C-alpha cells in the first residue's frame, strides 16, 4: 500500500508540472489508479474567466469517462502548491465539486477509493466516503 501510495503521488506531482494556472499560481496534480493498474492523471486548467477553471481531479475523471470507459476507481492522489513545489505546503484535499465528480466515477464502478492528500506535514489518507458522506450519485436517480 505504501508503495502504491508513493508511486501514485509521484505521478500526481509530475502531473502538477503540466498545470495551466497563471491566475492562482497554485499548481495541482491528480493521479487516479484504476483496478487494471492504469494510472490517469490531470492538472488544473484555469481560464481568464476565473470561474470556468477546471480542477485537476475533474480533468482526470473527464478524460476517463469521455473515452467511454467505466472502470473501477481504486485510489486517488492529489497534490498541489507553488510551481515546481507540489506537496510542500498545507495538505491539498479535493474541493467539494471534485468530491462529487469523483463520486460519479466511483459509484459507476462500485468502489470507495482511498484518497491520498499530499502536504508538508505528511500524506493524509482518507476515503471518498469520508470526504463526501451520504453522497448523491447515479443510484439516487432511481
Ligand atoms: N484546485 C484543484 O485543481 N483541485 C482541487 O481539489 C482544489 C483546487 C485548483 C483550482 C484552482 O486552479 C487552484 O487549484 C486554486 O484554487
Amino acid at each position: 500500500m505504501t508503495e502504491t501510495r508513493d508511486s501514485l503521488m509521484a505521478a500526481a506531482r509530475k502531473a502538477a508540472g503540466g498545470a495551466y494556472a497563471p491566475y492562482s499560481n497554485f499548481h495541482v496534480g491528480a493521479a487516479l489508479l484504476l483496478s487494471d493498474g492504469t494510472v490517469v492523471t490531470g492538472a488544473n486548467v484555469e481560464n481568464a474567466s476565473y470561474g470556468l477553471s477546471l480542477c485537476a481531479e475533474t480533468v482526470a475523471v473527464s478524460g476517463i469517462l469521455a473515452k467511454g470507459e467505466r472502470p473501477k476507481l481504486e485510489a486517488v492522489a492529489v497534490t498541489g502548491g507553488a510551481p515546481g513545489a507540489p506537496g510542500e505546503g498545507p495538505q491539498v484535499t479535493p474541493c467539494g465539486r471534485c468530491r462529487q465528480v469523483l463520486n460519479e466515477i466511483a459509484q459507476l464502478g462500485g468502489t470507495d477509493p482511498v484518497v491520498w492528500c499530499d502536504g508538508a506535514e505528511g500524506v493524509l489518507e482518507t476515503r471518498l466516503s469520508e470526504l463526501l458522506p451520504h453522497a448523491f450519485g447515479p443510484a439516487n436517480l432511481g
Side-chain angles (χ1 to χ4, degrees), residues 8-137:
L8 201 62
M9 194 57 79
R13 288 178 183 153
K14 189 172 175 199
Y20 172 67
Y23 308 108
S24 71
N25 234 17
F26 191 78
H27 289 197
V28 183
L32 276 52
L33 175 66
L34 312 181
S35 62
D36 67 356
T38 305
V39 173
V40 178
T41 62
N44 54 333
V45 178
E46 297 186 344
N47 192 282
S49 178
Y50 300 162
L52 300 185
S53 297
L54 301 173
C55 288
E57 303 91 317
T58 293
V59 169
V61 170
S62 303
I64 296 167
L65 294 183
K67 280 197 288 181
E69 291 165 7
R70 306 289 180 260
K72 288 186 185 306
L73 178 61
E74 300 287 353
V76 178
V78 184
T79 188
E88 293 182 18
Q91 282 167 338
V92 178
T93 52
C95 79
R97 184 174 186 272
C98 286
R99 294 175 195 201
Q100 183 68 25
V101 169
L102 288 166
N103 177 68
E104 186 76 16
I105 191 169
Q107 270 199 16
L108 285 177
T111 65
D112 181 15
V114 60
V115 181
W116 288 302
C117 309
D118 204 11
E121 69 265 47
V123 174
L124 170 73
E125 178 174 308
T126 182
R127 289 266 169 193
L128 185 58
S129 62
E130 207 177 338
L131 292 170
L132 191 68
H134 308 290
F136 179 87

